[in-house]
Amino acid sequence: MKTIMVIGAGQMGAGIAQVAAQAGYDVILNDIKEDFVTRGLQGIEKNLNRSVEKGRMSAEDKAAILGRFRKSTSYQDAADADLVIEAAVEKMSIKGEIFKTLDSVCPEHTILATNTSSLPITQVAAVTKRPDRVIGMHFFNPVPVMKLVEVIRGLETSDEVYNTIEKLSRELGKTPVEVKDAPGFVANRILIPMINEAVWILNEGIAKPEDIDEVMKLGANQPMGPLALGDLIGLDTVLAICNVLHEGLGDKYRPCPLLRKYVDAGRLGRKTGRGFFTY
Ligand code: 3HC
């Protein structure tokens, strides 16, 4: 494997692209607009600059990493990829279209991975003629820092593809954990209801946002409180995952109306400057 294409240059996609380039892979970073790709690359450069400033990376290494990127706004560029990792929006209709196109463009050997946080891998794989070469590779935000990759097999994913992705995850500096294809997989099935519960507590006026977070930081040793974590993930993403859990697993996963209201208002968290907190 030499070339990895990442679809989506947002916070997850850019993070995945960064760790792939740092591990020595050539990376094609793709988004629908060149501006989005440029913004993603600027974020990566900022992270690398911090590593140089802190003495963890030489300026030469930084230049070499940045030299491994190629910008893309066309799925046709996937013709050069050995692996494509899709990190686009969490909508089955959009992912379906992307995977159909990738399947027609990519060489036979190319593995198609999705960083979906909750959608069924088997369903994504089913739109392609290579369901044995489709797999879930679920990274965590911020990708350069978080050590986990949930590796999810679809119904048809081959052992060869699973083993390749498990090995690659280690090369990227991550610890892979095998997880079955089920709503929310493991991490989000636990994390998202916790965040949703914090929103219910806020909705019921039981405590102020900063106090809810303080409770979980000091009382449960979490690095950040659930509301700040929701703002980091993006409240639109939290709501989308919560909806998948609700549909797939029943009423106890029902999203709090206040979460929906924030999303409707465009208060999506850090990425829009305001969520439960202001940034
Ligand atoms: N990109 C790259 N590096 C980052 C970063 C980012 N966005 N944010 C923080 N970092 C780095 C910092 O540079 C710093 O590195 P250094 O100490 O080596 O210089 C290190 O992380 C620690 O950062 P800070 O000192 O600024 O702050 P904290 O110690 O509070 O750590 C945190 C920040 C790592 C975000 C920590 O608060 C944390 O672990 N929070 C929980 C994150 C979490 O649970 N993520 C999972 C979300 S769920 C998900 O992603 C799944 C999806 O499907 C929804």
Side-chain angles (χ1 to χ4, degrees):
M1 194 179 292
K2 194 170 174 295
T3 303
I4 298 177
M5 181 170 184
V6 179
I7 309 270
Q11 50 185 357
M12 295 305 287
I16 296 166
Q18 180 184 327
V19 294
Q22 280 183 230
Y25 290 95
D26 290 334
V27 177
I28 305 169
L29 184 56
N30 170 284
D31 210 313
I32 48 175
K33 284 191 186 155
E34 185 161 350
D35 272 6
F36 297 166
V37 181
T38 304
R39 214 177 305 154
L41 281 170
Q42 282 166 348
I44 292 170
E45 192 167 359
K46 206 169 123 201
N47 286 343
L48 298 180
N49 283 340
R50 203 168 43 227
S51 291
V52 173
E53 279 159 24
K54 291 209 160 185
R56 286 192 304 249
M57 184 182 285
S58 69
E60 293 73 35
D61 284 348
K62 181 192 112 181
I65 292 165
L66 290 174
R68 287 184 200 123
F69 284 102
R70 186 170 123 199
K71 287 187 188 181
S72 157
T73 51
S74 165
Y75 295 137
Q76 299 302 317
D77 294 328
D80 299 331
D82 303 304
L83 165 69
V84 182
I85 306 175
E86 172 275 332
V89 283
E90 283 295 281
K91 282 209 179 102
M92 195 61 216
S93 53
I94 293 177
K95 289 198 197 290
E97 281 308 311
I98 293 175
F99 273 75
K100 225 183 268 176
T101 309
L102 291 173
D103 189 34
S104 68
V105 169
C106 290
E108 257 176 42
H109 75 275
T110 304
I111 297 174
L112 305 180
T114 172
N115 176 56
T116 182
S117 42
S118 59
L119 297 172
I121 307 304
T122 303
Q123 210 175 325
V124 175
V127 306
T128 73
K129 295 192 182 77
R130 62 178 91 195
D132 56 318
R133 302 194 75 72
V134 177
I135 193 160
M137 222 182 159
H138 184 214
F139 290 83
F140 291 80
N141 192 356
V143 178
V145 180
M146 304 300 284
K147 292 283 174 227
L148 178 67
V149 178
E150 286 181 321
V151 183
I152 306 121
R153 288 176 192 253
L155 188 65
E156 312 282 359
T157 309
S158 73
D159 288 344
E160 176 226 324
V161 165
Y162 178 84
N163 292 335
T164 303
I165 293 303
E166 187 183 58
K167 184 165 161 271
L168 172 77
S169 302
R170 290 190 204 284
E171 280 171 20
L172 301 184
K174 307 297 176 198
T175 300
V177 172
E178 183 176 359
V179 170
K180 292 230 166 73
D181 195 8
F185 314 127
V186 173
N188 282 338
R189 180 151 166 192
I190 297 171
L191 274 180
I192 299 299
M194 179 191 70
I195 295 169
N196 193 40
E197 200 59 38
V199 185
W200 279 110
I201 289 169
L202 180 65
N203 196 45
E204 289 164 24
I206 293 168
K208 296 195 289 262
E210 51 276 25
D211 290 341
I212 295 170
D213 276 13
E214 195 76 336
V215 163
M216 294 307 286
K217 281 194 287 181
L218 300 183
N221 247 2
Q222 298 194 349
M224 68 205 306
L227 297 173
L229 182 58
D231 279 355
L232 174 74
I233 293 169
L235 299 184
D236 50 343
T237 303
V238 173
L239 179 62
I241 301 169
C242 213
N243 281 331
V244 169
L245 294 175
H246 187 207
E247 277 163 31
L249 300 168
D251 218 39
K252 77 175 184 186
Y253 298 92
R254 182 165 69 94
C256 177
L258 186 62
L259 177 62
R260 207 177 289 281
K261 203 179 272 182
Y262 273 45
V263 173
D264 288 344
R267 282 172 66 164
L268 305 183
R270 285 197 196 193
K271 62 184 165 188
T272 57
R274 205 165 166 220
F276 293 109
F277 301 102
T278 303
Y279 299 90

